[in-house]
Amino acid sequence: MPVVMRKLEVAQTGVLNAGDAHSKAMSLDIAEGVDVLVELLGATSVAALGGVQETRAVQQWINGDREPQRAHTLRFALQLSLMISTYATREVVRAWFHGSNPNLNDATPLALLRDQPLETVQVPLMVAARSFAGRDGAT
């Protein structure tokens, strides 16, 4: 199966609630998870989430040439992305990560994940993602 088709298949597995998105994000090999995250958010955003300056490192993670040091943050970002992508387009997922969010005191999800310890932002980010995904009756 072509890589692009495989990435889209993983990213578009139907409606995912928080638990399903968590299971999907945790069950993927980190290289495949990063690949799907790049498909959803773009390499520059994934680099920022992973704490690196260059997208070359992201490609190395995908190729298995290097392990991301912030794999837990990347997996959580994948979980959030999968939740939102079941109800919205890739462009909306990217906008959610980059946009000022009133549920996060007007911070952007990407900046919080990039700049704060995951354990301090995980719960507010999940609440914000559930709120956004649930705006049309999703859970």
Side-chain angles (χ1 to χ4, degrees):
M1 176 178 295
V3 174
V4 172
M5 291 300 292
R6 175 70 179 128
K7 287 190 285 188
L8 292 174
E9 177 185 306
V10 170
Q12 299 171 347
T13 55
V15 175
L16 296 178
N17 62 29
D20 294 337
H22 177 267
S23 294
K24 179 66 75 179
M26 297 307 134
S27 65
L28 292 175
D29 172 272
I30 190 63
E32 188 174 15
V34 169
D35 201 22
V36 172
L37 198 54
V38 167
E39 180 69 22
L40 291 168
L41 297 180
T44 302
S45 294
V46 174
L49 291 169
V52 297
Q53 299 282 327
E54 298 179 352
T55 58
R56 178 176 35 164
V58 175
Q59 192 58 51
Q60 291 171 337
W61 299 336
I62 292 169
N63 294 339
D65 298 333
R66 179 176 171 185
E67 288 290 319
Q69 291 187 358
R70 301 186 75 216
H72 58 292
T73 300
L74 295 169
R75 286 188 187 279
F76 184 68
L78 178 59
Q79 178 182 352
L80 297 174
S81 297
L82 290 172
M83 283 174 57
I84 295 167
S85 73
T86 64
Y87 302 100
T89 65
R90 179 177 30 210
E91 290 75 23
V92 172
V93 175
R94 290 177 185 194
W96 187 86
F97 270 84
H98 287 274
S100 173
N101 191 311
N103 293 318
L104 302 169
N105 294 321
D106 295 324
T108 68
L110 188 129
L112 290 175
L113 283 167
R114 181 191 64 214
D115 301 336
Q116 302 295 320
L118 181 58
E119 52 277 354
T120 65
V121 298
Q122 192 168 8
V123 170
L125 282 166
M126 183 57 71
V127 169
R130 282 183 174 137
S131 175
F132 184 80
R135 70 193 189 289
D136 292 326
T139 58

